[in-house]
Amino acid sequence: MTDAQETAADSSLRTTGGAPPEDDGSSVTEAPIPLLDPREGIPPVIADADALAEVISAFAAGSGPVAVDAERASGYRYGQRAYLVQLRRAGAGSALIDPVACPDLSGLGEALSGVEWVLHAATQDLPCLREIGMVPTRLFDTELAGRLAGFPRVGLGAMVESVLGFVLEKGHSAVDWSTRPLPEPWLRYATLDVELLVDLRDALEKELDRQGKLEWARQEFDAIASAPPAEPRKDPWRRTSGMHKVRRRRQLGVVRELWQARDRIAQKRDVSPGKVLSDAAIVEAALAVPANVHALAALNGFGHRMGRRQLEQWQAAVDRAKALTEAQLPTPGQPVAGPPPPRAWADKDPAAAARLSAARAAVSALAEQLNMPQENVITPDTVRRVCWEPPKEVSAETVAEALAGHGARPWQVEQVTPVLVAALSA
């Protein structure tokens, strides 16, 4: 009996009628069942080496896939580190681990090497898990599986409700997980997040198999598991919200100096940069280029609550930008690797613009036929690159080679090549 079936059988865990879908895939027709408590209760938070060793032993001896989740403190702390790791595996139950007290979980990662990890939106959690030594060799992403299967809503709560017929309480998803000690309601929420993840995986595997997409999903999961860590962003200050208003190079210099000053302070204090100074305030100062602290204090975002010392540090950043030579000032935009923005294609290369228009329409029709989002059929960037620099001789072989060269998976190459050949030949 699965976790979901056991949970449904336990009347203390629900307030309404209903049951999970039957094995024949019939949909849930009765009211969904709120999950109020984990089956075995809330496990103790693992915060020392001895307790961690016991968990590693238990999970190594467990069977089947392991559900894995991580909670971060986005919007509260600097960076994206994990502040709680949740796991569940048959034979081992659920575990909550404090990665602040136990920052090296490589032993757990090694114990689970070769085991399939079940995550929801894996690319969000894998970077912070990698930092603490947990790197899967195999995985199943329930969010991506939902996209490939054509579900309109693929958040964890929506998927658990539509596929398994249970309601997950999601009220604590955006709390400050760096809080210590963690309140019991948060720990209950965190435990429930992995309670039915393996059941969801099993149901989605059946649905993908029914649709003939299971091999496609496996290729996608393998690509995520084998992907190297992302390269650091070049000039991350250019992602400041509202940058489109900033046109002059001197103003861009102000944005860069303020962003870098804010980043240093946020990192030192271990707080979210937005809590130090808002993006809107940075852009406001860049547009005004204030002459002194008094002028800076009059701008939105630098109001009466900001002390003199803080104002002086921000004005110092503005003054550094004002002192830069023309050669030291940043240039508008960034050197783009690959094709230019599509809006410029009509002027630069009308034939390429026509190819892109035909290709987009063809991919859109294919996505509708396959019942999945266009970006999961093939990335828009791949389509742009192939349309901007198509093979000299357009054929199924050359287009397939181009798609594979841009990282398309075999199933994508198989599905997309015919429609792109037609679009590029039109």
Side-chain angles (χ1 to χ4, degrees):
M1 185 178 286
T2 66
D3 282 341
Q5 290 167 333
E6 290 180 6
T7 302
D10 188 343
S11 60
S12 67
L13 299 184
R14 49 181 158 143
T15 58
T16 62
E22 299 297 329
D23 287 341
D24 63 4
S26 58
S27 61
V28 176
T29 56
E30 297 186 34
I33 305 166
L35 279 188
L36 305 180
D37 285 293
R39 280 200 56 79
E40 299 97 12
I42 303 170
V45 178
I46 304 304
D48 62 67
D50 290 342
L52 179 60
E54 290 182 12
V55 165
I56 292 174
S57 177
F59 274 79
S63 61
V66 57
V68 182
D69 192 20
E71 304 295 348
R72 300 179 298 278
S74 304
Y76 297 94
R77 295 289 182 176
Y78 185 86
Q80 294 295 314
R81 68 171 295 181
Y83 284 95
L84 187 70
V85 175
Q86 309 102 279
L87 305 100
R88 184 173 180 84
R89 191 181 189 194
S94 296
L96 302 177
I97 303 175
D98 180 358
V100 177
C102 302
D104 182 5
L105 298 185
S106 57
L108 178 60
E110 290 167 8
L112 296 172
S113 179
V115 175
E116 182 186 83
W117 296 22
V118 184
L119 300 101
H120 192 80
T123 54
Q124 294 182 20
D125 287 340
L126 288 179
C128 71
L129 290 170
R130 183 179 283 112
E131 287 181 2
I132 53 179
M134 294 185 65
V135 184
T137 53
R138 296 169 52 212
L139 65 82
F140 190 106
D141 186 333
T142 50
E143 187 209 41
L144 181 52
R147 291 180 182 277
L148 296 177
F151 283 84
R153 296 166 60 226
V154 293
L156 179 58
M159 292 292 290
V160 167
E161 182 172 344
S162 62
V163 176
L164 300 178
F166 293 94
V167 177
L168 289 178
E169 192 271 314
K170 300 298 291 181
H172 303 300
S173 59
V175 298
D176 181 2
W177 288 95
S178 68
T179 301
R180 292 296 183 274
L182 286 164
E184 183 176 299
W186 300 11
L187 297 175
R188 180 181 298 107
Y189 156 86
T191 308
L192 288 171
D193 259 6
V194 292
E195 181 91 356
L196 299 180
L197 205 50
V198 172
D199 288 271
L200 180 61
R201 171 236 180 272
D202 293 345
L204 289 172
E205 183 179 61
K206 288 181 181 179
E207 179 60 23
L208 288 167
D209 191 34
R210 187 187 69 81
Q211 294 185 24
K213 298 175 181 176
L214 184 55
E215 175 56 29
W216 302 359
R218 287 173 177 155
Q219 291 178 25
E220 293 296 312
F221 302 155
D222 288 345
I224 295 172
S226 61
E231 293 288 333
R233 289 188 181 277
K234 184 180 179 183
D235 292 346
W237 60 270
R238 291 185 183 272
R239 295 177 62 83
T240 303
S241 180
M243 275 289 289
H244 62 282
K245 302 175 186 175
V246 182
R247 307 277 185 191
R248 299 174 183 174
R249 294 181 65 197
R250 186 71 56 186
Q251 295 173 329
L252 289 171
V254 173
V255 171
R256 183 175 65 185
E257 291 295 331
L258 283 171
W259 190 97
Q260 291 176 344
R262 179 184 71 173
D263 195 64
R264 288 191 295 270
I265 295 167
Q267 188 170 11
K268 183 178 179 180
R269 290 169 49 190
D270 190 19
V271 296
S272 169
K275 289 188 175 295
V276 176
L277 188 69
S278 69
D279 281 9
I282 290 178
V283 170
E284 188 87 4
L287 296 176
V289 192
N292 50 46
V293 168
H294 180 74
L296 180 69
L299 300 176
N300 290 332
F302 301 90
H304 63 281
R305 293 186 177 182
M306 191 171 287
R308 176 81 184 185
R309 185 176 175 183
Q310 288 177 293
L311 287 168
E312 287 175 348
Q313 73 185 1
W314 300 129
Q315 185 60 42
V318 174
D319 291 341
R320 286 195 297 273
K322 289 159 69 174
L324 295 173
T325 65
E326 284 294 318
Q328 293 172 321
L329 291 173
T331 56
Q334 289 177 284
V336 178
R343 62 179 178 274
W345 286 31
D347 293 330
K348 291 178 179 290
D349 189 337
R355 289 194 295 268
L356 181 62
S357 178
R360 282 174 163 174
V363 170
S364 176
L366 176 62
E368 187 171 345
Q369 177 187 334
L370 297 176
N371 189 30
M372 68 173 70
Q374 291 183 42
E375 63 270 19
N376 291 114
V377 174
I378 193 73
T379 67
D381 181 66
T382 298
V383 174
R384 285 194 295 268
R385 289 174 183 271
V386 173
C387 288
W388 184 252
E389 293 184 356
K392 290 183 179 179
E393 293 186 12
V394 175
S395 68
E397 291 75 18
T398 58
V399 171
E401 184 179 352
L403 289 171
H406 292 304
R409 262 69 73 191
W411 77 268
Q412 293 176 313
V413 173
E414 181 182 0
Q415 294 295 318
V416 175
T417 294
V419 299
L420 276 193
V421 169
L424 295 174
S425 303

